[in-house]
Amino acid sequence: MIEKHANESKMESEAELRLYVMVLRLQNKHETALQVLTGKLSEVWKHEHEKNRLEREILWTLKQWPELNQAAKKAMKQDPDDWSLYQLYLDSVFGMMAKQLHSSSTETTEDKENSSDLAVDSDVTAAWKFLGTLVAEEKSKTRAALRGPLLAQIELVSRSRVSGLNVYLKKVASPMEMLYDFYELFGDRACCYSDLEHYLRVLDDKEQSELLIRLAKQPALCNPDVQDEPIDVQQAVKVMQRHICSVQLARSLGLHLRLSVEDKKMVVGQMMEHFRNGVKYGEELLETEVRPNDAYALLAAHVVIDIASDTDDAAVYWDAIAILEEAYTLSPANSQIRLLLVRLYSILGIFDPCAKIFNAMEIRNIQLDTIGYYFLNYAPALGYFKTAQRLVKMTLAYFFVNKKDGPEYVTTAYKSGSFHKILEIVQFQQRVQRSISFPMTVYDVAAGELLIGGNCLEEVHDVLSNTMLWAVTQLFPNLVDNRDARALDTWDPLERRLSNQLVGLSFELDLQWLKVRSITFRLLYLVVSLLRLLSSPSASSQDSDLPTTGIPDGCKEMHLLSAELQAVVETLGGNSHLPAKFPVQGPPESRIIAYLDCGHAGIMVSLVSVAIALYQAAFVNWTAAESEPCQRVTEQTIPKVVSILEEQLQKCKASFYVGSGEKREFAGACLQSVVLMTETFVHMTIILAAFCQLLESKHSTKRQKKKGKTQAMLDVMESVKSAIAPLHTRSIEMMQEFKSELDQIRQDITADKLVSLRISSVDDETVHARILKHVRDSYDESLQEITDVLDRKLKVAAAIPW
């Protein structure tokens, strides 16, 4: 239809033409799209810059390198600081060189050259000369030089070295000299480091050493109180930024990693001295502005993180937290300081300051999907159940609003003639709806409701019968990772940074965590809901998620899900490729890592095997053929569950403390295990309540009601009930023991025991006091919410009539 409209010359607006080109490109009709952009129809295109950009993109797609080379050169003359133009230009140069190397009958470019005033640069030599003229033009201008031409020369040298085509450039260009010249020109700009960091890898060992020597000579800003002459604020900021850039580059070259622990501590002291010397030059800035000396504090914190890694001592993180807290007081709007604080506090099991930072950052809309995981991952895992519910419901509301408002945005774009935006809107909406954060929040809502509520089987059924829980499982094969895994800056050497493989592994582990959550909730749902089929077979027609053929299919599904859960745990548990830990500057560790170590899956699988045996026996009226296997499974499995539960409880309690005697302290990192242990008790209580109702006389099938129960059947049911009773009794005892221990820890923390800070990097007592308050408040709130859950579930468990 659009093509007919174009052929009949009825296109009179740029919006229509833009839509036509977009459709052609989606159909891979790039030649036709190029003809449209260069033909008569293009006369209606009002924005020449946009038309030329599309033309260059299509030339790149078609690999028409000579034409792209000329188009890029022409645009670079007009806009010498557009980095995308340099990328296209260099792509065309190396594309032509590759074609000449691999083609036996190369196409010459002489005829093409005659069609334009600009020659085609088909090799490195020509490209170097052309870029050299742009650099010379920039250096001759009185205004501040643009970075594009100089950076393009460095990119040319880098690509040449990587491809082995640097014979000519070896004679005329030294990468080290070029990098240092760029630093000399632009080192006082915040972007200098990000411009150069990718090119450090082209330097050999000798060049790296020489560059480090030169960078070490860069002067730092002196203490303003002892300077002979006052220094202009603008000039001081430039001196600071130049020195910061030199330290960042030196760190990326591996200087800090090669130092001993003592030398690293000296570097931390130097960075903090520079940070404090620069405080004066940010005093006039608004509270919402980032201070020019903030990078010193961040560098110091990163070196402290190195020390923690070298010594394998998480307590060293207190120094990094103190540094960042001092900087945060002076620069409350710096997102890097905020996010790194959240990461470090969370590692130590502290969430109270994280919740406050979340509110201060005013994270909304798409940010909930990209960086919200810094908070959503830890809030429920550290016992902040109420806060977690608030955060996940806010995130879930964003996903629902995005789905609801998407059609309205499309309609608005259509009415305003912005046809080319429609595809962009649809693609954005689809990507958001396929985000892994969407099912994660759905399951976190359900998990929180089971912990906070779920005090009877009807409440549990209401939570788990939410169709959203099962609908999101359809998304699993197509989920995407919208998280900003590299939200935290890093100046580590490239080989020490978060790799794409680790990002992919983090995503895969979270996918497995979703599967575990989905299986667990489905198993709990089946255990509870099959009771309704036993008491009222017509219930299946009222509940679309129950197996339509009743108990046999329900038992079969439980068996399959149980095997799937066991397979996930065994596969991940035996995976030697899992890293010991992810970099601090990377995404938070997936919750499935702690889950693999908690024994929850083993208890769930064992209890489900008992549930299957019970339902199969109940379905056939507890006949002898089914009753005997049910008794055997119950008698063999229940002691095993008790043993696993006792073992895991002792393991969890052993992780409560670090140190001994007077130096004993509460290990906040154990809270993840504490929460998982609490979930284990909660899920087990739900299953035991279902077992009890199943074994009560009122839960008989329709056929049983007609014939009545024989004494033999009642004896079998009583025998099974007696076999399960020890688990019920022992679980209550263990929950009471667990809760009492946590209550005692909470009392000790309130009495200023079990918490101490080892901070040597910051002497400010105000900072120490603030951190200590965060720690005590956070541990108190976590333990309070966890013990509240245990208290409620103890009452539920005690009410089960065994």
Side-chain angles (χ1 to χ4, degrees), residues 690-708:
F691 287 173
C692 180
Q693 286 198 21
L694 174 62
L695 293 168
E696 287 181 355
S697 59
K698 65 179 180 180
H699 281 283
S700 58
T701 64
K702 192 174 183 180
R703 189 165 37 148
Q704 285 174 332
K705 289 180 179 178
K706 288 181 179 179
K707 294 185 176 182

Side-chain angles (χ1 to χ4, degrees), residues 123-171:
D123 56 37
V124 170
T125 304
W128 176 262
K129 292 178 180 177
F130 171 70
L131 293 175
T133 60
L134 296 182
V135 171
E137 289 177 10
E138 283 303 312
K139 289 184 176 180
S140 65
K141 294 176 180 176
T142 54
R143 61 164 171 75
L146 298 176
R147 294 152 37 231
L150 284 87
L151 202 58
Q153 279 192 322
I154 299 174
E155 174 74 11
L156 175 61
V157 172
S158 175
R159 291 195 189 193
S160 298
R161 278 205 171 186
V162 171
S163 61
L165 302 173
N166 62 330
V167 177
Y168 170 77
L169 294 182
K170 272 186 176 181
K171 302 175 184 178

Side-chain angles (χ1 to χ4, degrees), residues 443-670:
Y443 289 134
D444 280 343
V445 168
E449 289 177 347
L450 288 180
L451 289 168
I452 297 172
N455 296 323
C456 65
L457 291 183
E458 285 301 317
E459 289 182 11
V460 172
H461 181 270
D462 290 343
V463 171
L464 297 178
S465 60
N466 185 349
T467 56
M468 184 71 67
L469 287 172
W470 320 125
V472 293
T473 59
Q474 306 300 316
L475 299 173
F476 284 4
N478 301 311
L479 288 176
V480 295
D481 190 0
N482 291 341
R483 303 172 304 166
D484 186 356
R486 295 180 174 86
L488 283 171
D489 288 342
T490 179
W491 304 284
D492 290 346
L494 292 177
E495 63 273 11
R496 286 282 298 262
R497 297 189 184 186
L498 182 70
S499 64
N500 291 333
Q501 286 182 328
L502 278 181
V503 174
L505 177 60
S506 171
F507 176 67
E508 182 59 33
L509 289 174
D510 277 346
L511 274 179
Q512 297 304 318
W513 174 243
L514 283 178
K515 290 180 182 178
V516 166
R517 279 295 205 202
S518 173
I519 293 169
T520 302
F521 290 152
R522 184 65 181 175
L523 286 171
L524 289 173
Y525 174 73
L526 288 170
V527 169
V528 172
S529 297
L530 289 182
L531 285 171
R532 299 158 71 90
L533 283 180
L534 278 176
S535 60
S536 176
S538 62
S540 61
S541 62
Q542 301 170 9
D543 200 330
S544 60
D545 286 313
L546 284 174
T548 54
T549 56
I551 301 299
D553 272 9
C555 291
K556 182 179 179 180
E557 185 179 357
M558 281 196 287
H559 178 74
L560 293 174
L561 289 170
S562 178
E564 188 178 351
L565 177 62
Q566 202 165 9
V568 170
V569 172
E570 288 176 358
T571 300
L572 291 176
N575 193 339
S576 59
H577 299 295
L578 291 179
K581 55 185 176 181
F582 285 85
V584 172
Q585 293 87 350
E589 190 178 77
S590 174
R591 280 178 275 174
I592 200 169
I593 301 296
Y595 177 87
L596 293 173
D597 198 41
C598 77
H600 182 101
I603 293 172
M604 178 63 70
V605 168
S606 298
L607 289 177
V608 167
S609 68
V610 174
I612 292 171
L614 288 174
Y615 277 117
Q616 287 175 336
F619 181 67
V620 294
N621 301 324
W622 299 93
T623 58
E626 289 295 337
S627 299
E628 184 178 345
C630 177
Q631 284 181 285
R632 186 173 62 253
V633 168
T634 305
E635 291 170 356
Q636 291 175 351
T637 304
I638 294 302
K640 177 183 173 184
V641 173
V642 172
S643 176
I644 296 175
L645 197 60
E646 289 176 340
E647 179 186 345
Q648 292 305 317
L649 179 60
Q650 294 306 314
K651 186 177 180 180
C652 184
K653 288 170 63 178
S655 69
F656 285 173
Y657 308 101
V658 291
S660 59
E662 294 182 356
K663 295 184 178 180
R664 189 174 72 159
E665 298 176 8
F666 177 62
C670 76

Side-chain angles (χ1 to χ4, degrees), residues 83-115:
W83 182 242
S84 64
L85 296 175
Y86 291 101
Q87 295 283 62
L88 291 173
Y89 170 73
L90 292 174
D91 285 347
S92 69
V93 172
F94 284 91
M96 285 185 282
M97 292 174 67
K99 188 175 181 180
Q100 291 168 7
L101 285 172
H102 296 98
S103 175
S104 57
S105 56
T106 59
E107 177 187 355
T108 62
T109 59
E110 293 177 2
D111 293 336
K112 309 244 180 219
E113 292 174 11
N114 295 331
S115 64

Side-chain angles (χ1 to χ4, degrees), residues 8-126:
E8 294 176 355
S9 301
K10 293 183 178 179
M11 284 193 176
E12 299 178 352
S13 70
E14 181 179 330
E16 293 174 337
L17 186 59
R18 193 191 296 266
L19 177 63
Y20 183 34
V21 171
M22 182 183 74
V23 171
L24 290 172
R25 294 182 70 185
L26 288 172
Q27 294 177 332
N28 290 323
K29 297 180 179 179
H30 301 292
E31 293 88 350
T32 307
L34 186 61
Q35 291 172 6
V36 170
L37 288 172
T38 56
K40 187 177 180 181
L41 277 175
S42 65
E43 294 175 1
V44 301
W45 205 298
K46 306 298 182 184
H47 298 86
E48 191 71 16
H49 178 79
E50 177 69 11
K51 181 173 76 74
N52 292 337
R53 182 186 64 79
L54 288 172
E55 184 180 341
R56 290 190 296 270
E57 288 179 2
I58 295 172
L59 288 172
W60 186 93
T61 303
L62 294 173
K63 300 189 185 303
Q64 294 185 8
W65 304 125
E67 294 86 347
L68 176 60
N69 189 274
Q70 291 177 322
K73 287 177 70 174
K74 181 179 178 181
M76 286 154 65
K77 289 282 188 180
Q78 300 168 352
D79 188 0
D81 208 38
D82 185 340
W83 182 242
S84 64
L85 296 175
Y86 291 101
Q87 295 283 62
L88 291 173
Y89 170 73
L90 292 174
D91 285 347
S92 69
V93 172
F94 284 91
M96 285 185 282
M97 292 174 67
K99 188 175 181 180
Q100 291 168 7
L101 285 172
H102 296 98
S103 175
S104 57
S105 56
T106 59
E107 177 187 355
T108 62
T109 59
E110 293 177 2
D111 293 336
K112 309 244 180 219
E113 292 174 11
N114 295 331
S115 64
S116 172
D117 295 335
L118 294 171
V120 175
D121 298 335
S122 57
D123 56 37
V124 170
T125 304

Side-chain angles (χ1 to χ4, degrees), residues 158-217:
S158 175
R159 291 195 189 193
S160 298
R161 278 205 171 186
V162 171
S163 61
L165 302 173
N166 62 330
V167 177
Y168 170 77
L169 294 182
K170 272 186 176 181
K171 302 175 184 178
V172 298
S174 164
M176 193 281 296
E177 292 290 348
M178 294 175 69
L179 290 176
Y180 189 74
D181 288 346
F182 189 92
Y183 167 78
E184 283 287 288
L185 281 170
F186 306 110
D188 56 4
R189 301 187 190 181
C191 59
C192 183
Y193 171 78
S194 59
D195 284 344
L196 295 181
E197 62 170 327
H198 303 293
Y199 302 111
L200 297 176
R201 67 179 184 274
V202 306
L203 302 178
D204 57 34
D205 292 342
K206 182 179 178 181
E207 290 171 328
Q208 288 186 15
S209 300
E210 190 174 346
L211 182 58
L212 278 172
I213 292 171
R214 293 198 185 186
L215 292 173
K217 296 177 181 178

